[in-house]
Amino acid sequence: MPQPSDQHRMKGRVRSARPAVAAAVAAGLVLAATGCGSGSGSGSGSKASGGPVNLTYRIWDSTQQTGMQHIVDAFQQANPNIHVRIELVANKEYWTKLQADATAGSAPDVFWMNGPNAQLYESNKQLLALSSNVLKQNGVDLANYPAALNQLYNLGGTQYGIPKDFDTVGLWYNKKLFDAAGLKYPDASWTWQDVQNAAKKLTDASKGQYGILAPPYGQENYYDTIFQAGGYVIAPDGKSSGYAKPEAQAGLKFWSDLVKDGYSPSLKSMTDTFAAQQFESGKIGMYYAGSWNCMEFSKSDTIKDSVDVAVLPQGVKKATVIHGLANVGYAKTKHPAEVEKFLAFLGSKQANEIEAKDSGVIPAYNGTQQAWVASFPNFHVQSYLDELPYAVAYPTSKNTSAWQNQEAAVLAPAWDGGEDIGTAAQQLATMMNTALSKEQ
């Protein structure tokens, strides 16, 4: 089943392919961690070499390359002895190539990292540790980034990445359909019940019109409602699944019931066509979508003048999943001090302001996001920022893909009406617990 969220996590907004990490990746990284890599340096916090230094910075999104080059140019102007070369690797090849390079001990000095892969690379000692002393020496204050985003890259009490950008999830709605149904637009007071009531009134099978899209997507849909119900996907200690618990099942049921009641297109329909594309047809009342969809919707001639976005409705409490990329250093770089300096600049207010203007993503540095907001004047995209106080870190483990890649398949029978959601959730918990036990 197509999952835009998984695309986004890989490529970076509107944009990417599932960050699949097969067991072979883990095996390869273990070899890299114990082998005789060619890129070993003198360790974090070492003195700069003093002479000209060349660094490689690997990214995967061509739409952000210009913005990243502008950041590199600004860094080199302030640090003329450090030359940074951006290396663009196609998204479909990024993780495979990074695995191979890490195994050979020749990974780039600095590269993009995402949440689902962070623990795997850290556990195999491929990421440069950024101690509190190193951060302080380079003028980095983690309080300048959303706490839940820092959490994705803080492992065992040590920071391994400096947040680059982030995304949250909002409730998009079609104003034309709401007006025709005589409904008030969603706002911050909305609850699950409001969504269910509106979905019912917006559905008109005779017109092929549905109140909401309810695909079995993690980040955009059931992760959010699981947290809103007071549950969790993975236990805080990372050792067990939360899917067997009633709170998580309530978060799943919210979505499966919308399909069961006929307020959402069928699972088959949502499998055949990306949900975002269905929303763009103008026949869907509501859609939970990530901030990476803003650009796509703003360019859609069908809906760009008739849709808007609000914060997510609350269940037992308010919550939205936050994910974002981080810039990380290679543990075996020959130039750790220069890498630390470059990482600090990438995470600076100056760099984030450039990113907000040139890259089309929400920069992670607090207070630099308004340029991104201003780029979508027709939409209330401020909603994505308003959710930060109650954002929850994207659920990950050491080998996230081992269980995450199975979620949609295990849940499909419940979405399709052939199985009780509780039964499917129990099966998912069993599968996930088996996968997690192999990480210990």
Side-chain angles (χ1 to χ4, degrees):
M1 173 174 297
Q3 290 215 38
S5 60
D6 295 327
Q7 293 183 333
H8 147 66
R9 285 192 294 275
M10 168 62 187
K11 193 175 174 186
R13 300 337 142 228
V14 173
R15 357 208 205 235
S16 76
R18 178 180 293 280
V21 183
V25 177
L29 288 175
V30 169
L31 291 175
T34 57
C36 51
S38 62
S40 59
S42 57
S44 178
S46 64
K47 294 182 179 179
S49 62
V53 169
N54 295 313
L55 301 179
T56 300
Y57 179 32
R58 183 176 296 178
I59 67 175
W60 64 62
D61 187 356
S62 60
T63 67
Q64 295 190 50
Q65 187 171 7
T66 297
M68 294 301 100
Q69 186 61 59
H70 290 164
I71 292 173
V72 166
D73 292 344
F75 172 75
Q76 291 180 154
Q77 184 175 1
N79 299 272
N81 285 338
I82 305 176
H83 179 265
V84 179
R85 178 178 64 87
I86 292 179
E87 180 181 77
L88 178 67
V89 175
N91 60 308
K92 64 181 180 180
E93 303 168 359
Y94 186 88
W95 296 107
T96 301
K97 182 169 175 54
L98 185 60
Q99 171 205 344
D101 291 341
T103 300
S106 57
D109 300 283
V110 179
F111 50 95
W112 284 359
M113 178 55 59
N114 65 5
N117 284 305
Q119 290 188 48
L120 178 63
Y121 277 79
E122 180 278 329
S123 66
N124 287 288
K125 304 184 186 307
Q126 297 298 326
L127 303 184
L128 186 67
L130 303 173
S131 69
S132 57
N133 285 338
V134 166
L135 294 172
K136 185 176 181 180
Q137 289 168 6
N138 287 279
V140 177
D141 183 355
L142 294 178
N144 288 322
Y145 315 100
L149 195 55
N150 284 325
Q151 182 182 332
L152 283 171
Y153 302 101
N154 190 294
L155 308 167
T158 299
Q159 195 75 15
Y160 288 90
I162 297 180
K164 171 189 175 293
D165 56 49
F166 74 84
D167 46 77
T168 52
V169 181
L171 171 60
W172 285 81
Y173 57 95
N174 188 306
K175 293 183 288 185
K176 286 186 177 180
L177 299 185
F178 268 73
D179 291 343
L183 292 171
K184 292 183 177 180
Y185 299 154
D187 59 30
S189 70
W190 266 42
T191 66
W192 287 6
Q193 189 63 56
D194 291 308
V195 173
Q196 293 161 343
N197 292 343
K200 180 178 180 179
K201 292 181 179 180
L202 289 164
T203 299
D204 187 339
S206 66
K207 297 180 180 179
Q209 178 179 306
Y210 292 92
I212 192 168
L213 283 160
Y217 290 171
Q219 182 176 356
E220 298 100 313
N221 289 5
Y222 58 81
Y223 286 174
D224 299 288
T225 50
I226 285 173
F227 289 122
Q228 290 166 9
Y232 57 82
V233 176
I234 182 172
D237 63 6
K239 295 182 179 180
S240 63
S241 169
Y243 282 116
K245 296 187 175 298
E247 296 85 357
Q249 293 179 22
L252 293 170
K253 191 173 186 295
F254 172 82
W255 294 103
S256 61
D257 279 356
L258 288 167
V259 179
K260 177 182 177 182
D261 292 338
Y263 305 150
S264 165
S266 67
L267 176 65
K268 183 180 186 305
S269 173
M270 294 184 289
T271 301
D272 292 343
T273 305
F274 278 116
Q277 293 174 346
Q278 292 195 48
F279 184 64
E280 290 179 67
S281 72
K283 293 187 177 182
I284 303 295
M286 294 175 287
Y287 177 46
Y288 282 41
S291 48
W292 59 91
N293 284 121
C294 294
M295 184 66 72
E296 180 179 352
F297 294 163
S298 72
K299 294 181 178 180
S300 171
D301 291 334
T302 304
I303 65 168
K304 64 182 181 181
D305 296 321
S306 61
V307 300
D308 207 348
V309 60
V311 298
L312 291 186
Q314 69 179 51
V316 174
K317 61 181 182 179
K318 289 181 177 290
T320 184
V321 169
I322 186 172
H323 180 260
L325 307 185
N327 288 297
V328 299
Y330 181 41
K332 296 183 180 181
T333 178
K334 295 178 180 178
H335 309 289
E338 288 82 3
V339 164
E340 290 161 1
K341 181 176 287 189
F342 182 46
L343 286 172
F345 186 83
L346 289 170
S348 68
K349 182 178 181 180
Q350 179 182 353
N352 277 244
E353 288 175 339
I354 295 173
E355 185 170 44
K357 178 182 177 182
D358 297 341
S359 297
V361 299
I362 309 178
Y365 195 101
N366 294 332
T368 65
Q369 296 92 6
Q370 288 309 306
W372 179 82
V373 172
S375 66
F376 300 102
N378 293 338
F379 305 143
H380 188 64
V381 297
Q382 178 66 37
S383 297
Y384 287 108
L385 305 183
D386 292 342
E387 297 178 316
L388 288 177
Y390 47 84
V392 182
Y394 185 91
T396 65
S397 69
K398 189 180 297 183
N399 193 5
T400 309
S401 65
W403 50 269
Q404 189 182 77
N405 288 356
Q406 304 302 316
E407 287 180 328
V410 176
L411 293 173
W415 252 253
D416 210 20
E419 189 171 80
D420 176 72
I421 191 65
T423 300
Q426 290 286 350
Q427 293 173 349
L428 185 54
T430 299
M431 178 277 295
M432 187 172 173
N433 284 331
T434 297
L436 292 174
S437 68
K438 296 177 181 179
E439 298 183 4
Q440 309 307 314

